[in-house]
């Protein structure tokens, strides 16, 4: 596994908490993706080479796909899928499941945090990512939930946090 000092993890909202929901054709979504692309590019320019994606719908997926797209410019970067449990995509639409599977298949590493779903497995996945990174790129505007808990944990662990505005 790459060194912690060269690692970035991501956190952000699922589509239900984004103003445009699932409409990735919305100009606001395109603008967020461009800001995320810039944050990942900046990390690459600063020497970061390993990225950890929590594989959730929404911001996690955007970040994973952006990281993979940047391999054309930075071929040495790696992407790790931090999967909370094997059943993570169950209950998603067939299209969402196919997108998740395609992202997992393109990752360099796959870490399954636990072998079954439990109430705390998403939080364990988030802690795993923070514990193995030096920087967190977060789409966070103060809303309650997993992203907030991840940001707070990252602050306690002393990670550098790069906030990316949602709008």
């Amino acid at each position: 596994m790459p060194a912690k000092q060269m690692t970035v993890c991501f956190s952000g909202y699922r589509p239900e908490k984004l103003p445009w929901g699932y409409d990735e054709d919305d100009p606001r979504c395109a603008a967020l993706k461009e800001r995320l692309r810039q944050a990942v590019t900046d990390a690459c320019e600063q020497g970061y080479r390993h990225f950890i994606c929590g594989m959730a719908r929404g911001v996690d997926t955007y970040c994973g796909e952006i990281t993979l797209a940047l391999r054309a410019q930075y071929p040495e970067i790696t992407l790790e899928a931090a999967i909370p449990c094997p059943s993570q995509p169950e209950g998603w639409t067939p299209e969402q499941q196919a997108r998740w599977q395609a992202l997992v298949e393109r990752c360099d590493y796959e870490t399954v945090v636990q072998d079954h779903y439990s109430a705390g497995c998403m939080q364990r996945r988030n802690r795993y990512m923070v514990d193995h990174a030096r920087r967190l790129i977060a789409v966070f505007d103060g809303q309650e939930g997993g992203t907030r808990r991840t940001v707070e944990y990252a602050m306690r662990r002393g990670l550098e946090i790069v906030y990316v505005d949602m709008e």
Side-chain angles (χ1 to χ4, degrees):
M1 215 48 64
K4 179 178 177 173
Q5 64 268 22
M6 303 300 286
T7 301
V8 175
C9 63
F10 305 111
S11 189
Y13 300 119
R14 290 180 175 86
E16 296 84 0
K17 286 191 171 183
L18 297 170
W20 52 87
Y22 289 90
D23 183 7
E24 291 185 48
D25 292 326
D26 187 294
R28 297 170 295 176
C29 182
L32 172 61
K33 288 180 180 180
E34 184 52 40
R35 288 189 296 277
L36 289 168
R37 178 180 306 281
Q38 189 59 57
V40 176
T41 299
D42 290 348
C44 291
E45 290 294 322
Q46 295 162 9
Y48 289 93
R49 292 296 178 258
H50 185 63
F51 297 83
I52 306 174
C53 176
M55 304 303 295
R57 292 171 291 115
V59 171
D60 282 12
T61 298
Y62 304 163
C63 290
E65 292 171 345
I66 287 165
T67 302
L68 291 170
L70 284 171
R71 282 186 172 161
Q73 188 176 350
Y74 303 96
E76 68 281 3
I77 63 175
T78 58
L79 181 63
E80 176 180 354
I83 300 170
C85 62
S87 63
Q88 181 181 24
E90 286 182 13
W92 298 2
T93 67
E95 294 81 13
Q96 292 165 344
Q97 289 180 12
R99 189 175 183 183
W100 181 89
Q101 187 62 46
L103 184 55
V104 169
E105 288 172 1
R106 294 182 61 206
C107 287
D108 302 285
Y109 303 95
E110 184 178 325
T111 301
V112 179
V113 177
Q114 63 183 53
D115 64 2
H116 63 282
Y117 175 81
S118 71
C121 71
M122 303 300 172
Q123 185 173 359
R124 281 188 199 90
R125 181 262 330 263
N126 295 342
R127 286 178 176 254
Y128 167 83
M129 293 191 307
V130 168
D131 288 344
H132 290 85
R134 183 172 167 201
R135 177 182 288 183
L136 169 66
I137 294 175
V139 176
F140 176 64
D141 65 358
Q143 294 181 56
E144 291 292 331
T147 299
R148 181 186 192 120
R149 287 188 295 277
T150 301
V151 167
E152 290 171 349
Y153 184 65
M155 291 171 73
R156 288 193 305 275
R157 300 288 293 177
L159 268 68
E160 175 185 356
I161 302 174
V162 174
Y163 294 99
V164 177
D165 290 332
M166 190 176 344
E167 292 194 74

